[in-house]
Each structure stands twice: as C-alpha cells, then as structure tokens.
Amino acid sequence: MSTRFLLLSTIAHCIICAVFAFEPSPLQDFCIADSTSSTRVNGQACKSPSSVGAADFSFSGLHIPGNTSNPNGSRVSPVNVAQLHRLNTLSISMVRIDYAPWGINPPHTHPRATEILTVIEGSLQVGFVTSNPENRLIMKTLQKGDVFVFPIRLIHFQRNVGTKNAVAIAALSSQNPGVITIANAVFGSKPDISSDILTKAFQIEPSLVHNLQAKF
Ligand SMILES: *[C@@H]1O[C@H](CO)[C@@H](O)[C@H](O)[C@H]1NC(C)=O
Ligand SMILES: *[C@@H]1O[C@H](CO)[C@@H](O)[C@H](O)[C@H]1NC(C)=O
C-alpha cells in the first residue's frame, strides 16, 4: 500500500467517523415516527407517507405555563419526537422551561444534544462546567432576550434569580436529546450504587450517602 493511499484512507475514515458521530441526515422528505411500530432502528420507524397529515407536523400548548410546585421549583415541557412525531430523523427539538422565583433546573447533561436557550420572561443565572481536569465553571446572568449555549454533553443548570416567574425556550440538536440529572442518576439509580463507592467518590459520611439515596 502506498503512503498516499494510507493517508487518503485515513482521511476518508475520519470523515466517516465525523458523520456517524451525529444523527444521520434524512434520506426522504419526512419520516413521521410510528410510535406503534415494534421495528427497532436508530430513531423510530416511519409511518406510511399516505397516512400522514398536518397533525403529524404540529404541536400546541407551549403557551401553557408548566407547574413549578415541586422541589426544583421548575418544570420542563418538552417537544421532542415523543410529542411531535415529525421530528423523527431531523436532529432537532424544543423545550419550554418555567421557573418559580429562585427555582432551579438542577445540574444535568444531554447525552445527544447541544442546547441553545433564550429567556422570554424574567432573568436566569445559567452555567456549565468544562470536562476534566479543568472543570471550569462558565456562568452568566441572562435577561429577557439573551441567548446562551450549553455545549453537548457538558453538565449545566439554570436558576431564576428574579422575584417573579421566569420562562425560557430552548432548542436542542437532537430529536431525542435525553437527559441525565446528576443527583437522580448518581443517588437515585435502581438498584443503588453501593454506598461505599459513593462515600469514597464524594468523600462524605455513609449516613449522608444514605440520606441522599433516600431522597432521590
Ligand atoms: C401543581 O402540582 C402540585 C404538586 O403536584 C399539585 O398539588 C397542584 O394541584 C398542581 N397545580 C396545578 C394548577 O395543576
Ligand atoms: C428536578 O428536575 C429534574 C429534571 O427535570 C427531575 O429529573 C428531578 O426528578 C427533579 N427533582 C425533584 C426533587 O423534583
């Protein structure tokens, strides 16, 4: 094999890696998700195009405030492929987030999406943390109309720093971004991660681990 061939094949391989690291481009105008199909693909099986109508392309209700009476003081109302079947294979989705005064959207990550958020009511403190070893916190207070980006997979959060309710709209670069809420995943896994692991990992007393496991 010539060096040139090796070089070209390495480049081709890298291009293929880059393409497959993200959701593939659609191969047809639309592939409305058929949530009743048992076919397992990366995404969801397509409905027959002839049975598709306007209802498959629309969603109503994001004007309705979410109920924030919960320990977080926030509520995420998603519009992803589960709510809007048209999003299947389109690498995009949306959420509305409501925050009570001082409510938080707790530290979490989206395993499959970058998020771009804008404040449409109130003011929010937002932040994310870079990966090891820096673990740098990048934070900003946003006012109505400000936009902030949370890079894919990094741990991020929001907090309402106003005395009134706050509302944000965010778009995510996946039809099914997924969410891993750190506290719930670490202290609320089923079954529990054994407490001696968490005691060492967080350098805290076993009683505190049990307390957190009971909460989540
Ligand atoms: C909001 O949620 C709380 C707690 O689950 C519930 O008690 C309350 O009735 C809900 N409020 C509305 C308007 O649905
Ligand atoms: C807080 O919000 C997250 C993300 O929506 C949710 O997974 C979690 O259960 C909530 N925690 C509590 C204590 O309500």
Side-chain angles (χ1 to χ4, degrees), residues 70-76 104-106 108 179 181 184 215-216:
N70 57 57
N72 290 326
S74 75
R75 172 73 61 183
V76 177
I104 60 158
N105 187 6
H108 64 281
V179 54
T181 306
N184 298 62
K215 274 210 176 75
F216 293 101

Side-chain angles (χ1 to χ4, degrees), residues 99-154:
Y99 311 82
W102 302 104
I104 60 158
N105 187 6
H108 64 281
T109 93
H110 302 292
R112 292 178 289 275
T114 286
E115 173 173 349
I116 183 165
L117 174 146
T118 186
V119 177
I120 59 171
E121 216 52 76
S123 84
L124 289 181
Q125 185 180 51
V126 302
F128 66 85
V129 179
T130 65
S131 61
N132 300 356
E134 292 82 11
N135 297 138
R136 184 151 78 97
L137 172 64
I138 295 181
M139 205 166 69
K140 185 171 164 62
T141 299
L142 307 180
Q143 310 300 335
K144 185 171 176 170
D146 291 348
V147 173
F148 198 81
V149 174
F150 304 104
I152 186 166
R153 299 188 189 102
L154 298 187

Side-chain angles (χ1 to χ4, degrees), residues 192-212:
D192 282 341
I193 298 177
S194 74
S195 60
D196 57 313
I197 294 178
L198 297 178
T199 301
K200 279 201 178 120
F202 288 86
Q203 299 284 297
I204 53 176
E205 296 301 317
S207 59
L208 186 48
V209 169
H210 292 133
N211 187 317
L212 288 166

Side-chain angles (χ1 to χ4, degrees), residues 178-191:
V179 54
I180 301 170
T181 306
I182 308 306
N184 298 62
V186 174
F187 294 104
S189 66
K190 295 166 203 70

Side-chain angles (χ1 to χ4, degrees), residues 49-130:
S50 58
S51 71
V52 160
D56 293 300
F57 294 81
S58 61
F59 174 92
S60 300
L62 274 200
H63 61 296
I64 301 168
N67 185 341
T68 57
S69 304
N70 57 57
N72 290 326
S74 75
R75 172 73 61 183
V76 177
S77 307
V79 187
N80 60 42
V81 70
Q83 290 79 32
L84 180 53
H85 293 169
R86 166 68 178 104
L87 294 177
N88 196 30
T89 74
L90 290 186
S91 314
I92 197 165
S93 59
M94 182 175 254
V95 292
R96 168 187 172 127
I97 314 170
D98 288 274
Y99 311 82
W102 302 104
I104 60 158
N105 187 6
H108 64 281
T109 93
H110 302 292
R112 292 178 289 275
T114 286
E115 173 173 349
I116 183 165
L117 174 146
T118 186
V119 177
I120 59 171
E121 216 52 76
S123 84
L124 289 181
Q125 185 180 51
V126 302
F128 66 85
V129 179
T130 65

